[in-house]
Amino acid sequence: MATNSEKIAFLTGFGKRVQALREEKQLSLRQLAQNCEIDYSDIGKIEKGLRNIQMSTILELSKGLDVSPQELFNFKINENPN
């Protein structure tokens, strides 16, 4: 079973990956929200690692970013925040 710190590290890494892809595509939070069915404030929380999301949200994010769902998981988990 994953520890709480492992879960936080995963959510943070995922969020940073979403943010990097969004910025790479030069999209604002609002523009990404318009591309998918997710409120822009929720996207901000996802990017900060504050929101644990469902599989359907992963699909929406991948559509909004025009990437495969697998591409969202192309990141390393950093368990040491410092």
Side-chain angles (χ1 to χ4, degrees):
M1 179 178 276
T3 65
N4 196 40
S5 63
E6 289 171 326
K7 291 175 186 177
I8 291 169
F10 180 81
L11 292 174
T12 302
F14 181 85
K16 286 181 181 180
R17 178 65 178 154
V18 170
Q19 182 177 16
L21 288 168
R22 178 180 59 79
E23 290 174 351
E24 181 180 299
K25 296 184 178 281
Q26 300 180 346
L27 295 171
S28 68
L29 288 172
R30 289 185 188 269
Q31 288 170 321
L32 178 54
Q34 289 175 350
N35 292 349
C36 57
E37 295 183 20
I38 304 171
D39 187 82
Y40 78 94
S41 65
D42 288 331
I43 294 172
K45 291 174 186 171
I46 291 167
E47 288 184 356
K48 292 175 185 166
L50 301 175
R51 175 83 27 116
N52 195 352
I53 60 175
Q54 297 180 350
M55 297 296 287
S56 58
T57 306
I58 293 167
L59 181 60
E60 286 298 323
L61 286 170
S62 69
K63 287 181 179 180
L65 292 165
D66 195 29
V67 298
S68 68
Q70 296 89 338
E71 186 65 27
L72 296 174
F73 293 99
N74 188 12
F75 65 92
K76 294 192 186 293
I77 298 174
N78 182 9
E79 292 187 43
N80 184 5
N82 297 326

